[in-house]
Amino acid sequence: MEQELRSQPETWREAARIGASGADGALPEAGARVAVIGCGTSWFMAQSYAALREGSGQGVTDAFAASEAFLGAPRGYDAVVAITRSGTTTEVLRVLEAVRGTVPTVTVLGDPDTPATPLSDRTVALPFADERSVVQTRFATSALTLFRAHLGEDLAAAVRDAEEALAAPVAREWVDAEQFSFLGTGWTVGVANEAALKMREASQSWTESYPAMEYRHGPISIAAPGRVTWLFGRAPEGLADDVARTGAHFVHHARDPLADLVLVQRVALERARAKGLDPDNPRSLTRSVML
Ligand code: F1P
């Protein structure tokens, strides 16, 4: 996991190049109503992509957990984008099967030679970002980098921020914290959800995640000294003061939110090691979940 995590600036550069050059026209065009699906980490990247695409005016874009969508495939969309590192996740394959022939599908995956490929009208493969680890790091962040570049964003600063996040100190308070609440707004809600999952998967930590303003509607009641509230992206007015009153440690960095996720991945590694856990063999997890 560590080696893969550390290669993110390189894999982001390559993903940004592919996205900026149009990803071979595989991704849906502006104006299309798009459903984005995935499981686990890939679902959280789907959430971020959906918020970014819709926010950039390219059309209605909704994210669905494939594990819910396979119970009743999304309807009323012009295209389905599936995100799956492995290309073998059962729920993703079932959604692709269910919508086959009714709506164009494009799957963003690691290895191009997977069961998802023949079920998709188009694929965007990121083999340079594929991983052997159970816990995803670079595939997910590279997929989101590809989407951001495809939507017209210049990712040069994000790549620089990722390099900086790889060199930044990991604070003692984060390694020792009893609990983490990760918060985001808009596209960074998906990033916050992914940060919380990463910390659970790799280090068996108690973590939660919320849209930042929603945090004040109840979840802030668990903020306390020895616990961390970590905000990605835009800071809603008054939030820092509210958290300060609880005594929780508030974290809000200026760097690109996806690059700040790289720092959380490192914190997850450090916490796993501090607890004597092997982050490359996480409890009860497999690289791909097949039903
Ligand atoms: C999705 C996923 C991972 C999760 C776990 C099981 O995989 O849910 O996000 O961390 O390893 O698989 P994929 O569809 O992106 O291959």
Side-chain angles (χ1 to χ4, degrees):
M1 178 180 165
E2 179 162 31
Q3 216 183 348
E4 292 164 348
L5 177 171
R6 292 208 156 267
S7 69
Q8 286 175 108
E10 267 160 60
T11 64
W12 290 15
R13 252 184 233 111
E14 181 60 8
R17 193 192 58 71
I18 297 171
S21 64
D24 282 336
L27 294 172
E29 286 173 9
R33 293 170 61 92
V34 175
V36 195
I37 61 154
C39 285
T41 291
S42 296
W43 174 36
F44 298 140
M45 296 302 102
Q47 293 174 344
S48 290
Y49 175 41
L52 282 167
R53 186 175 182 277
E54 193 161 304
S56 74
Q58 293 231 348
V60 169
T61 315
D62 298 321
F64 297 94
S67 45
E68 281 293 306
F70 93 115
L71 302 171
R75 286 165 202 269
Y77 294 93
D78 302 320
V80 170
V81 176
I83 306 172
T84 173
R85 177 182 68 174
S86 62
T88 58
T89 297
T90 304
E91 295 97 321
V92 173
L93 299 181
R94 295 234 177 118
V95 176
L96 289 171
E97 270 161 11
V99 300
R100 193 161 168 69
T102 65
V103 64
T105 54
V106 50
T107 299
V108 178
L109 35 63
D111 179 353
D113 184 19
T114 72
T117 307
L119 293 173
S120 314
D121 294 307
R122 294 170 178 172
T123 54
V124 179
L126 308 177
F128 55 86
D130 204 4
E131 297 164 297
R132 281 190 304 181
S133 296
V134 171
V135 176
Q136 289 200 30
T137 55
R138 72 180 181 192
F139 172 77
T141 58
S142 300
L144 188 52
T145 299
L146 168 100
F147 295 130
R148 292 172 75 181
H150 189 259
L151 292 171
E153 201 180 327
D154 180 349
L155 273 299
V159 172
R160 278 198 301 276
D161 284 357
E163 277 161 351
E164 185 262 323
L166 285 172
V170 170
R172 199 70 242 163
E173 291 101 314
W174 308 339
V175 179
D176 296 343
E178 182 192 17
Q179 186 273 341
F180 287 80
S181 293
F182 292 102
L183 312 179
T185 52
W187 75 274
T188 66
V189 173
V191 175
N193 289 339
E194 169 56 7
L197 180 66
K198 215 65 335 176
M199 204 76 101
R200 287 184 206 116
E201 287 181 323
S203 73
Q204 296 275 307
S205 300
W206 172 23
T207 65
E208 306 193 4
S209 53
Y210 301 94
M213 294 301 277
E214 198 55 34
Y215 183 58
R216 290 161 141 161
H217 294 272
I220 195 169
S221 57
I222 58 158
R227 298 179 181 177
V228 173
T229 302
W230 189 307
L231 174 69
F232 293 96
R234 202 171 57 78
E237 203 187 321
L239 181 71
D241 293 340
D242 285 356
V243 175
R245 275 192 286 277
T246 69
H249 180 71
F250 185 63
V251 184
H252 181 229
H253 296 127
R255 67 174 70 87
D256 182 90
L258 200 57
D260 214 28
L261 176 62
V262 172
L263 182 55
V264 174
Q265 296 167 346
R266 291 183 53 220
V267 177
L269 266 187
E270 288 293 316
R271 285 175 65 88
R273 285 176 182 148
K275 290 166 121 179
L277 299 170
D278 176 2
D280 287 320
N281 286 300
R283 198 173 71 173
S284 317
L285 282 182
T286 48
R287 187 175 179 277
S288 164
V289 176
M290 288 178 265
L291 303 178

